[in-house]
Amino acid sequence: MPDLIHYAIPAFVILVLAEVIVTAVQQKDYYEKRDTFSSLAMGIGNALIGLVGKGLMLWVYDLIYEYRLFTVDPTAWWGWVLLFFADDFSYYWFHRISHGSRYFWASHVVHHSSRKYNLGTALRQTWTGTISGAFLFWAWMPLVGFHPVAVLTMQSISLLYQFWIHTEHIRRFPAFIEAVFNTPSHHRVHHASNLQYLDKNHAGILIIWDRLFGTFQAEEERPEYGLTKNIETYNPVRIAFHEWADLWRDAWKAGSLRNGIMYVFGPPGWSHDGTRKTTRDLREEEKTPIA
Ligand SMILES: [Zn+2]
Ligand SMILES: [Zn+2]
């Protein structure tokens, strides 16, 4: 089965190079050499792992499809319309929970580990997403009758869409586009560590889900990219696994089953003694400043 992402790699490379050149000509600081090389390394690793990972996903989706409740005709136009919305809805929840639960964050943090925001950052992708079960957020789709190949194809289309929005060069589109679609402006907010921007704009293609489920934030102040605590490494292996290592260390030393479960599945930043901060803690703190 062809993977659209693999075919798109030459275009990714050309567009990143083009943006590097434009950025250099304009003397902007959107790129940093070591940062870009580690983003590319993460992208290459992700694509290689995808060769096996997509097979695993297809196998699981096929298994579920055997027991489907209905059949969505993959050749009908309305089947593709349903597929588009079902995928984008699943992506929203996958992505929102990837920020809300540390188990999924351990994979997704990779994508947020750059302090730069450019087309190269789009390629900074996880190596552990499939193996840790991210694809299960789409598992309901083969169950209700979407063909497994159609599900995988739409996931690839969504990722292709999300490539070009990782840029500082496009400021804002007309309001009717910003109202409906995920855009560079909306996604800059998503990559920023400013308090008002944390855990906002989880959209894939359509921003409507964030507006609907209360996680939308417009771009107002200048975004500061990266994590609330940056990882200070360009080593791809450390970028891929550092949060997993921290997660297991915390769980191991948790002292009780409840604390262990919270360290693994609770929100990033959760700690049993309150020594670390979740997004909610940070917001509470700002609301009630210590005199
Ligand atoms: Zn994210
Ligand atoms: Zn992104």
Side-chain angles (χ1 to χ4, degrees):
M1 185 204 126
D3 185 347
L4 295 174
I5 298 292
H6 293 155
Y7 287 112
I9 289 172
F12 289 158
V13 172
I14 291 167
L15 288 166
V16 169
L17 282 175
E19 195 187 37
V20 166
I21 292 166
V22 170
T23 302
V25 169
Q26 294 183 347
Q27 299 188 322
K28 303 277 195 194
D29 62 352
Y30 302 158
Y31 276 88
E32 200 277 318
K33 203 190 286 172
R34 284 173 303 174
D35 170 85
T36 303
F37 279 117
S38 48
S39 291
L40 294 179
M42 299 317 293
I44 292 165
N46 174 278
L48 291 175
I49 292 163
L51 294 173
V52 182
K54 293 281 164 79
L56 171 73
M57 288 163 67
L58 197 57
W59 181 73
V60 174
Y61 291 164
D62 271 335
L63 209 67
I64 298 170
Y65 191 65
E66 294 282 308
Y67 300 94
R68 65 188 177 276
L69 305 170
F70 317 98
T71 300
V72 181
D73 182 357
T75 60
W77 67 268
W78 57 267
W80 282 88
V81 173
L82 288 180
L83 178 71
F84 171 78
F85 282 99
D87 167 76
D88 210 46
F89 175 79
S90 306
Y91 183 87
Y92 171 82
W93 284 104
F94 148 72
H95 193 188
R96 181 164 169 179
I97 292 166
S98 291
H99 281 260
S101 170
R102 196 179 178 196
Y103 174 79
F104 293 102
W105 174 245
S107 288
H108 186 62
V109 64
V110 169
H111 184 60
H112 288 277
S113 62
S114 173
R115 299 170 78 173
K116 298 290 178 186
Y117 189 77
N118 53 52
L119 293 176
T121 309
L123 305 179
R124 184 178 278 246
Q125 293 286 338
T126 178
W127 293 357
T128 53
T130 302
I131 195 72
S132 59
F135 64 94
L136 295 174
F137 285 93
W138 285 260
W140 68 277
M141 291 180 60
L143 185 66
V144 299
F146 290 101
H147 194 278
V149 173
V151 174
L152 286 187
T153 303
M154 192 50 81
Q155 288 173 345
S156 295
I157 291 170
S158 176
L159 275 180
L160 289 181
Y161 176 88
Q162 291 177 56
F163 172 74
W164 72 274
I165 61 178
H166 291 84
T167 185
E168 295 257 25
H169 289 283
I170 300 171
R171 297 322 297 173
R172 235 169 252 237
F173 284 99
F176 70 96
I177 292 178
E178 297 284 345
V180 179
F181 290 98
N182 194 11
T183 61
S185 175
H186 296 330
H187 203 58
R188 282 194 289 271
V189 164
H190 181 68
H191 274 259
S193 59
N194 314 42
L195 187 55
Q196 69 158 335
Y197 290 164
L198 288 179
D199 300 342
K200 300 291 183 184
N201 300 359
H202 300 99
I205 297 177
L206 300 176
I207 197 72
I208 57 170
W209 310 115
D210 286 288
R211 295 185 186 279
L212 213 58
F213 299 120
T215 49
F216 177 73
Q217 173 63 50
E219 187 180 25
E220 290 161 0
E221 60 182 340
R222 189 174 168 275
E224 288 293 332
Y225 300 112
L227 304 167
T228 52
K229 252 197 212 128
N230 283 298
I231 54 171
E232 315 295 346
T233 180
Y234 298 105
N235 179 337
V237 175
R238 281 190 57 199
I239 293 171
F241 298 110
H242 73 95
E243 186 67 20
W244 286 112
D246 292 351
L247 183 156
W248 293 122
R249 193 178 309 120
D250 288 338
W252 187 252
K253 294 193 298 191
S256 75
L257 183 65
R258 184 192 172 270
N259 287 351
I261 290 171
M262 283 304 287
Y263 272 119
V264 177
F265 295 105
W270 184 88
S271 57
H272 69 283
D273 52 4
T275 50
R276 300 181 210 164
K277 302 276 179 262
T278 64
T279 299
R280 183 182 286 182
D281 296 336
L282 292 168
R283 293 211 168 105
E284 287 295 318
E285 231 173 46
E286 177 155 283
K287 257 190 271 171
T288 49
I290 303 152

